[in-house]
Amino acid sequence: MEVKHLDSFYIIHKLEKHNEVKDELMNLIINNEADSTQYDGGFISRTDYHLDENHRRTYLPLFFDTIETILQKQADFFFAKEATVHHAWFQQYYMYDKHNWHTHGKCNFANIYYLELPDTSMKTEFFDVLSKKIIGNIELEEGDIITFPAYILHRSNTNTLERKTIISYNTTFESTQAERIDKLL
């Protein structure tokens, strides 16, 4: 297989209502049941990722109401009739927490909403398999949602600053709008 370069692989949305919903989402997450997780040399202090899928995640209704327009825009961008969210969870990284290199399975895209990002040096890092280097030119800030193919290797490197809080979710875009594509051709 010969691949010459990796084109831009991500989409960034600024959550317009970030300042309006941040405090409420943070309160809901702080009061949400959570546990810590440790694997492959990584450690995350608080997350509900491993809790039963039927567990009530009190922050998700507000979050999904807030991003509904973004999901619709993404489905339209990908010529899909619908966006399906497969799983959603929060993660809070405290001092010395990290999430090692990983991918997300059984979905098209992974998404990360930076609910609390005290410093941009704490943003997610992406690994370019072609150059064998970290992709360092992605500009992200608190309130952004980054969407990227779920097979892209990424990590949250060791946190040496304040707490970072993200909401992550996986999406698949289905039911192609074939007629729209045909009109473009």
Side-chain angles (χ1 to χ4, degrees):
M1 171 174 72
E2 181 180 341
V3 180
K4 299 214 186 252
H5 59 55
L6 205 57
D7 289 323
S8 294
F9 62 89
Y10 58 89
I11 300 168
I12 297 172
H13 289 278
K14 299 219 175 282
L15 190 62
E16 293 176 15
K17 295 182 179 182
H18 171 71
N19 291 329
E20 296 172 36
V21 298
K22 178 183 177 179
D23 290 342
E24 187 174 355
L25 283 171
M26 286 301 301
N27 281 333
L28 291 166
I29 285 173
I30 295 287
N31 293 309
N32 197 80
E33 185 179 343
D35 57 15
S36 61
T37 187
Q38 183 172 355
Y39 53 91
D40 296 331
F43 184 83
I44 302 168
S45 290
R46 289 194 78 239
T47 182
D48 60 354
Y49 179 83
H50 294 289
L51 298 181
D52 182 83
E53 67 181 45
N54 295 321
H55 173 75
R56 189 164 180 257
R57 289 166 168 85
T58 57
Y59 60 95
L60 286 182
L62 173 60
F63 177 65
F64 284 128
D65 282 349
T66 306
I67 68 163
E68 182 179 359
T69 302
I70 290 172
L71 288 171
Q72 291 171 349
K73 285 180 183 178
Q74 287 180 332
D76 191 55
F77 178 79
F78 292 116
F79 295 90
K81 293 179 183 173
E82 60 186 298
T84 302
V85 176
H86 298 283
H87 189 205
W89 64 96
F90 78 86
Q91 292 179 178
Q92 288 189 303
Y93 298 89
Y94 289 82
M95 186 69 81
Y96 306 117
D97 286 4
K98 70 177 181 177
H99 195 170
N100 283 329
W101 294 109
H102 65 284
T103 61
H104 294 207
K106 301 178 183 170
C107 59
N108 296 146
F109 292 90
N111 307 267
I112 302 168
Y113 167 50
Y114 294 96
L115 178 58
E116 190 176 47
L117 187 66
D119 190 275
T120 58
S121 67
M122 299 168 66
K123 67 186 178 186
T124 305
E125 294 179 330
F126 298 90
F127 183 73
D128 183 340
V129 296
L130 297 176
S131 68
K132 311 294 188 265
K133 294 179 182 174
I134 292 174
I135 300 166
N137 59 350
I138 300 173
E139 293 184 25
L140 291 164
E141 60 187 21
E142 185 176 289
D144 286 349
I145 298 174
I146 186 166
T147 300
F148 55 94
Y151 62 84
I152 299 287
L153 288 160
H154 60 286
R155 73 174 177 184
S156 181
N157 204 1
T158 304
N159 181 5
T160 58
L161 299 169
E162 301 171 49
R163 179 183 67 197
K164 173 176 97 171
T165 303
I166 61 106
I167 297 175
S168 190
Y169 58 100
N170 295 331
T171 50
T172 298
F173 297 95
E174 306 174 84
S175 304
T176 304
Q177 296 178 15
E179 62 284 350
R180 273 188 60 216
I181 297 169
D182 288 341
K183 286 181 182 177
L184 293 172
L185 301 177

